[in-house]
């Protein structure tokens, strides 16, 4: 049991480091990070939200240690749906209109030796209602 907890804590710490690395990258690109781990209820969360001018960027951060699937494989259709729903809810709460973009940050390796990949416009949600079912 203690070993499982230690692995879980290690993974959580690696995830926090991945978010921090992504925040640093975003800042270097001239974007302001406006939200970290924004939640709506228990099911919808966006790791990072940033904005520049009239564009709101919703960012999914994926960290993997390389022992399992690649980080890129972790962004499936279900995750895309959740991100789009959360983004829609977030945008509806804003005082003005923004365009929206969905980016993904992939961090693979270990905290000491990692590869950082940032994918701008990682996906564009379809306009079909069937996407949200």
């Amino acid at each position: 049991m203690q070993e499982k907890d230690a692995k879980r804590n290690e993974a959580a710490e690696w995830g926090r480091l991945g978010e921090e690395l992504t925040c640093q990258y975003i800042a270097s690109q001239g974007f302001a990070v406006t939200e970290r781990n924004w939640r709506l209820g228990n099911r919808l969360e966006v790791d990072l939200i940033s904005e520049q001018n009239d564009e709101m960027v919703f960012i999914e951060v994926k960290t993997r240690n390389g022992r399992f699937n690649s980080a890129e494989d972790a962004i499936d259709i279900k995750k895309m749906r959740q991100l789009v729903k959360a983004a829609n809810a977030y945008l509806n709460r804003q005082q003005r209109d923004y365009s929206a973009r969905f980016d993904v940050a992939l961090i693979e390796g270990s905290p000491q030796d990692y590869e950082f990949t940032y994918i701008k416009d990682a996906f564009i949600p379809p306009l079909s209602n069937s996407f949200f079912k």
Side-chain angles (χ1 to χ4, degrees):
M1 186 68 154
Q2 288 178 338
E3 186 177 324
K4 256 188 181 176
D5 288 341
K7 285 183 180 183
R8 204 173 288 137
N9 289 339
E10 185 180 306
E13 187 58 37
W14 183 212
R16 282 188 288 276
L17 177 59
E19 288 180 5
E20 188 56 41
L21 292 168
T22 305
C23 284
Q24 291 171 13
Y25 174 79
I26 290 167
S28 76
Q29 301 301 302
F31 280 71
V33 175
T34 56
E35 302 279 352
R36 287 181 82 154
N37 302 109
W38 185 84
R39 289 183 175 275
L40 180 66
N42 291 332
R43 303 188 124 209
L44 300 177
E45 178 190 8
V46 180
D47 293 330
L48 299 170
I49 301 173
S50 67
E51 81 176 271
Q52 185 179 51
N53 303 323
D54 291 332
E55 185 169 49
M56 196 67 70
V57 183
F58 299 90
I59 305 158
E60 177 68 12
V61 179
K62 288 295 180 186
T63 54
R64 292 289 185 266
N65 60 16
R67 291 187 298 222
F68 300 104
N69 294 334
S70 72
E72 203 165 4
D73 292 337
I75 310 295
D76 60 9
I77 192 75
K78 181 180 177 184
K79 186 63 181 176
M80 288 181 208
R81 284 184 184 122
Q82 290 173 340
L83 285 169
V84 170
K85 286 179 183 179
N88 192 40
Y90 185 83
L91 290 170
N92 284 333
R93 289 171 165 73
Q94 302 308 303
Q95 299 295 319
R96 61 187 185 102
D97 291 335
Y98 291 91
S99 62
R101 189 176 86 210
F102 296 89
D103 294 359
V104 175
L106 306 173
I107 303 100
E108 296 183 273
S110 70
Q112 299 78 27
D113 181 28
Y114 59 85
E115 183 176 327
F116 180 91
T117 305
Y118 192 85
I119 304 170
K120 183 177 177 179
D121 282 319
F123 68 92
I124 299 171
L127 297 176
S128 166
N129 284 337
S130 64
F131 177 75
F132 296 100
K133 294 180 180 176

